[in-house]
Amino acid sequence: MAFIRESQIPVGKREIARAFRITGAERIQLKAMLKELEREGALGRNPGRRFGPPGRLPEVTVVEVTGTDQDGEVVAKPIAWDGAGPPPRIYMAPDRRGTPAIGPGDRVLARLKHIGANKYEGRTIRRISETPGKVLGVFALGPDGGRIRSTDKKYKAEYRVAPEDAAGAKEGELVLAELLDGARLGLRPVRIVERLGDMGNPRSISLISIFARGIPVDFSHDALAQAERAGPVSAEGRVDLRDTPLVTIDGADARDFDDAVWAEPDGDASNPGGWHLLVAIADVAHYVRPGDPLDKAAGERGNSTYFPDRVVPMLPEAISNGWCSLKPAEERGCMAVHIWIDAHGNKLRHRFVRGVMRSAARLTYEQVQAAADGRPDELTAPLVQRTITPLYGVYRLLLAARIARGALDLDLPERQVIIGDHGHIDRIVPRARLDSHKLIEEFMIAANVAAAETLEEKRTACMYRVHDAPAPDKIDSLREFLGSLGYKLAKGQVLQPKHFTQILDKAAGTPHAQLVSQVVLRSQAQAVYSPHNIGHFGLALRRYAHFTSPIRRYADLLVHRALVSALRFGPDGLPAGAEAAFENIGEHISMTERRSDAAERDAQDRFIAAFLAARVGASFAGRISGVTRFGLFVTLDETGADGLVPIRTLPADYYAHEEARHRLVGRSSGRVYVLGDTVEIRLAEADAITGGLVFELLEEGVARAAGRRASGGHRTSGGLAANRPMRGKSKRVRAAKGRR
């Protein structure tokens, strides 16, 4: 250590070995010793993998953007970090327009400012990563051909289109263009390769998200041909369920029906008050075999992606809306599980079968709920006693069992964009959350647990749906924040979902209810697919797998194949050695799920921004849903829209960002803006192309915050002056909220 400290130049392992005459096998011991010193924090690494005393990052260095934190701030890490412990967290400041010009995966040369223990603020000097090979944007005519304004939030730029490269594009069209080599001065030239439609048509909005996120749209000729050749299953070798009055329960606008349910009281005298539940799922594995064109297409997509105006399906329509859709009165192949439940909602046993079924009715959530509430219609009236009432009997027991085991129940409000017959946005409404929705959810969870248990018992490869416990650092932050509201999260013991549920129950009915739900949600890990079982923390289950939606999730199709192999239901199960690829497949389909989630959120943002564009200047009630160094995110009560209140628009002061308490505190005025505060805002900007909304706090919103003073110690991790002059218009930074 003295040699390293006193050296006039940075030294590496070679220089150390030479100085101490370390040769042969002893060099291995030296390497281990140096690593141990790094782990202990006694040594740091400099550029060129040279050793030195641990210290701060250099003022200018290359960083890679890793994503956004729970408050929507862009976070990066140093490329060259080899030090002990986790790399420092770098919060990237937005550019002068108020939005980050960088996104996950980008590498930039950044100027760093130390703002706290292992924390830095970074400002982009220049981007190092390559610009995209293609550009999605909106075309505008010009005297020299035209311009394309990019829809990409990471690459906010305009591109030049020569007349011969415009491909006949018209003003306001959404286009896909490829970059051309050109002079470094002026706008980068591009050539339009595809015209995607009029940006003035709201139906073009989802196209932006589809292309921007790289979601595959077109099926190969071979996949389509295979789907068209599909036909009905044979009843031979299958269990006959055609006389069982199974029903499907889905949304009113659903086109594919891949699950059907039925229940009856258990006739076994040893199970008084118990039930027999049957869950039947479309037999997709019969039509999509390992390695065939349909399988390759489904594996590439990973899942279906849903937008307000369209679906990008995992499988072609001939399969997803045809032979694998459980339509009323039509024979369909299915994988089904019989589940026997006792009077306390506990599963006694289960049994899988491969069958043929005939749906008795296609019902909607609203129809079923109305019938259960005593308002049946013409279709549901004959089904109330023999079908709907037994289903609710099973549901009540499963719900009681869920509550007993302490599963986490975060019932946060969601919004639904309704597209009218004319193709324009008709309205934005709260998404219904009925008992009929929860009924189907509980039945699907029960079937998923049965699938995971069967595969584990049979020692067959399984693609589990796993959800890890929250990270300790997130729990510490959550505990401190909840403490500031008067809620105590258990300490000194292993946290279980029930501990969070107890907090949610205490907050229910108080002004803090939604705020507490949000911060608890943000503390949770993200569920993923993996062949290694660690259980599902949120559901409080030891084993769990997705089995119930093989039309729209590749993970479910793998579980179906595994069950076919384990239970010897036919030749279309998992091929020999398939489990070797499960880890890579799990990582891939976890990525495609995140990709679809991001695309769906982006599209919803753009639809809402388009809907609100005509109301710029109007005032709205909202709630602070994110607190960052650069401003406040506000969610509107009416539409659920998220927008940014830039810090420069707040009353003049120096605002300290107290990360653990999710608040901004004005050092001079004592104004406090806290996550969950209700505010009144004015809509300043609405950009349908990027989905960006910019808000300004109204005076009454400012006055409410000004009346509350900060109390207690401040754990300040950084601040910005609201009265600092900034040039250019500010755009919205999107908060990445929530993990599933």
Side-chain angles (χ1 to χ4, degrees):
M1 288 297 301
F3 172 75
I4 292 170
R5 280 195 304 267
E6 295 165 8
S7 174
Q8 298 299 309
I9 61 172
V11 297
K13 187 175 66 176
R14 180 180 300 175
E15 288 78 14
I16 296 171
R18 186 181 299 120
F20 290 90
R21 297 177 182 158
I22 297 172
T23 60
E26 289 184 338
R27 293 174 69 95
I28 298 175
Q29 296 179 43
L30 172 64
K31 182 178 180 181
M33 183 185 296
L34 293 171
K35 282 190 174 180
E36 185 177 351
L37 288 169
E38 283 188 80
R39 285 195 298 269
E40 293 173 354
L43 273 184
R45 292 261 193 167
N46 296 318
R49 299 185 64 78
R50 295 296 195 254
F51 293 102
R56 295 179 178 177
L57 292 172
E59 183 180 354
V60 175
T61 191
V62 177
V63 303
E64 180 178 351
V65 178
T66 57
T68 54
D69 69 2
Q70 62 183 19
D71 287 323
E73 293 200 54
V74 178
V75 180
K77 66 179 181 180
I79 292 294
W81 180 253
D82 278 322
R89 172 165 282 205
I90 302 169
Y91 296 93
M92 297 302 296
D95 64 14
R96 288 176 297 187
R97 293 173 299 179
T99 52
I102 50 179
D106 282 344
R107 293 188 174 192
V108 300
L109 185 66
R111 187 176 303 279
L112 304 182
K113 175 185 176 184
H114 190 256
I115 58 174
N118 220 32
K119 294 179 183 178
Y120 292 81
E121 179 180 290
R123 292 190 177 272
T124 302
I125 297 175
R126 68 173 182 270
R127 187 192 302 275
I128 294 174
S129 53
E130 295 295 324
T131 53
K134 289 188 176 180
V135 174
L136 182 69
V138 177
F139 181 74
L141 291 171
D144 56 349
R147 297 280 190 274
I148 291 178
R149 179 190 172 197
S150 174
T151 61
D152 195 325
K153 296 178 181 180
K154 293 191 296 179
Y155 299 101
K156 289 188 176 295
E158 286 194 356
Y159 300 86
R160 173 170 53 86
V161 184
E164 62 272 18
D165 294 324
K170 298 178 181 179
E171 178 81 25
E173 274 193 323
L174 184 65
V175 297
L176 188 66
E178 61 183 7
L179 293 168
L180 302 174
D181 293 331
R184 292 296 177 187
L185 298 177
L187 299 180
R188 184 80 180 268
V190 295
R191 176 192 299 118
I192 293 175
V193 295
E194 190 171 355
R195 297 166 58 189
L196 302 173
D198 182 6
M199 188 58 206
N201 182 351
R203 292 187 179 275
S204 297
I205 291 176
S206 56
L207 288 176
I208 298 176
S209 296
I210 291 169
F211 280 86
R213 295 290 176 177
I215 295 173
V217 176
D218 298 322
F219 290 98
S220 69
H221 172 76
D222 290 342
L224 291 173
Q226 181 186 345
E228 291 299 327
R229 290 195 300 269
V233 301
S234 169
E236 185 178 353
R238 291 177 176 266
V239 175
D240 193 343
L241 300 172
R242 286 173 289 191
D243 292 334
T244 303
L246 289 148
V247 296
T248 63
I249 305 175
D250 295 276
D253 56 351
R255 296 175 60 194
D256 50 14
F257 319 115
D258 58 355
D259 57 82
V261 294
W262 169 81
E264 66 175 354
D266 188 0
D268 189 341
S270 65
N271 186 27
W275 293 88
H276 170 210
L277 172 67
L278 179 61
V279 178
I281 308 298
D283 190 358
V284 179
H286 173 78
Y287 296 97
V288 184
R289 309 294 179 91
D292 67 18
L294 282 176
D295 182 51
K296 292 177 181 177
E300 179 188 16
R301 285 161 171 76
N303 47 261
S304 298
T305 308
Y306 294 85
F307 300 100
D309 61 336
R310 73 188 70 211
V311 176
V312 180
M314 187 180 80
L315 292 166
E317 188 171 348
I319 297 295
S320 60
N321 295 343
W323 294 111
C324 287
S325 186
L326 307 179
K327 298 177 179 179
E330 296 188 16
E331 291 188 7
R332 292 289 186 265
C334 65
M335 289 280 289
V337 57
H338 295 270
I339 303 174
W340 286 269
I341 299 162
D342 69 14
H344 303 288
N346 301 308
K347 181 172 69 68
L348 298 177
R349 65 187 188 279
H350 67 268
R351 177 170 58 89
F352 280 92
V353 298
R354 201 174 195 184
V356 58
M357 60 162 287
R358 187 188 294 116
S359 171
R362 178 270 197 266
L363 306 177
T364 69
Y365 292 114
E366 291 76 13
Q367 278 181 304
V368 172
Q369 190 62 53
D373 293 340
R375 294 177 284 104
D377 60 18
E378 185 177 345
L379 177 60
T380 57
L383 300 173
V384 171
Q385 291 302 319
R386 67 186 181 105
T387 301
I388 295 176
T389 297
L391 291 176
Y392 274 82
V394 178
Y395 162 63
R396 282 188 285 271
L397 294 182
L398 290 176
L399 180 62
R402 177 193 182 104
I403 295 171
R405 72 173 185 266
L408 187 59
D409 189 9
L410 289 167
D411 202 2
L412 292 169
E414 295 183 27
R415 294 296 192 275
Q416 183 178 10
V417 176
I418 306 297
I419 306 296
D421 295 336
H422 44 68
H424 289 266
I425 303 165
D426 187 55
R427 62 193 185 281
I428 299 169
V429 298
R431 189 178 292 276
R433 179 72 171 158
L434 307 172
D435 279 350
S436 54
H437 290 93
K438 299 175 185 177
L439 175 149
I440 291 297
E441 287 176 9
E442 290 301 325
F443 293 173
M444 299 305 110
I445 289 172
N448 289 337
V449 169
E453 288 181 352
T454 296
L455 294 178
E456 190 171 287
E457 179 187 342
K458 297 292 184 179
R459 301 181 183 275
T460 303
C462 179
M463 186 61 75
Y464 292 97
R465 179 67 167 180
V466 298
H467 183 219
D468 205 354
D473 60 328
K474 291 186 177 180
I475 292 300
D476 289 342
S477 297
L478 175 64
R479 184 178 285 114
E480 182 176 348
F481 180 69
L482 291 175
S484 71
L485 298 177
Y487 299 103
K488 185 177 180 181
L489 184 62
K491 195 172 185 179
Q493 59 179 304
V494 177
L495 282 178
Q496 299 176 16
K498 65 181 180 182
H499 295 123
F500 296 100
T501 301
Q502 289 166 1
I503 296 290
L504 295 170
D505 290 343
K506 290 178 182 177
T510 73
H512 298 141
Q514 189 172 345
L515 168 61
V516 171
S517 293
Q518 286 179 341
V519 294
V520 169
L521 174 64
R522 294 177 184 184
S523 72
Q524 302 302 306
Q526 187 172 41
V528 296
Y529 294 106
S530 172
H532 310 296
N533 182 32
I534 62 170
H536 197 292
F537 180 83
L539 293 174
L541 294 169
R542 287 181 292 176
R543 56 192 66 82
Y544 190 65
H546 276 167
F547 158 78
T548 53
S549 293
I551 285 179
R552 61 182 181 91
R553 292 189 304 227
Y554 194 72
D556 302 54
L557 176 56
L558 293 177
V559 169
H560 275 235
R561 288 174 180 164
L563 288 168
V564 169
S565 296
L567 300 173
R568 300 183 180 180
F569 281 161
D572 41 8
L574 289 176
E579 62 274 9
F582 265 37
E583 187 151 0
N584 288 336
I585 293 174
E587 292 177 0
H588 171 71
I589 58 180
S590 296
M591 179 278 293
T592 61
E593 179 185 51
R594 292 192 298 270
R595 179 178 67 183
S596 291
D597 287 345
E600 291 166 3
R601 286 195 305 268
D602 288 350
Q604 180 134 323
D605 283 349
R606 291 184 173 100
F607 273 108
I608 292 175
F611 182 72
L612 293 176
R615 301 177 67 181
V616 169
S619 60
F620 299 88
R623 188 179 295 271
I624 296 176
S625 56
V627 182
T628 76
R629 288 169 178 76
F630 312 113
L632 307 170
F633 290 109
V634 173
T635 300
L636 303 186
D637 295 342
E638 180 182 337
T639 60
D642 294 317
L644 174 69
V645 178
I647 200 166
R648 66 180 177 83
T649 66
L650 297 179
D653 203 340
Y654 186 91
Y655 288 91
H657 177 225
E658 297 185 355
E659 184 178 8
R661 295 191 174 191
H662 301 275
R663 66 182 190 175
L664 288 179
V665 178
R667 288 186 176 176
S668 299
S669 65
R671 286 187 179 89
V672 183
Y673 300 99
V674 184
L675 185 72
D677 274 356
T678 56
V679 292
E680 293 288 328
I681 62 92
R682 185 184 74 86
L683 177 59
E685 295 181 30
D687 188 339
I689 295 176
T690 64
L693 299 175
V694 176
F695 301 147
E696 295 175 357
L697 281 181
L698 295 178
E699 286 301 318
E700 50 266 40
V702 173
R704 187 180 296 113
R708 182 178 57 238
R709 298 280 171 170
S711 61
H714 300 331
R715 235 183 69 181
T716 303
S717 56
L720 284 179
N723 57 350
R724 181 179 299 163
M726 298 181 73
R727 291 176 292 170
K729 291 184 178 180
S730 72
K731 303 288 184 183
R732 170 178 174 265
V733 186
R734 194 191 198 292
K737 299 186 304 178
R739 293 166 175 81
R740 297 196 296 161

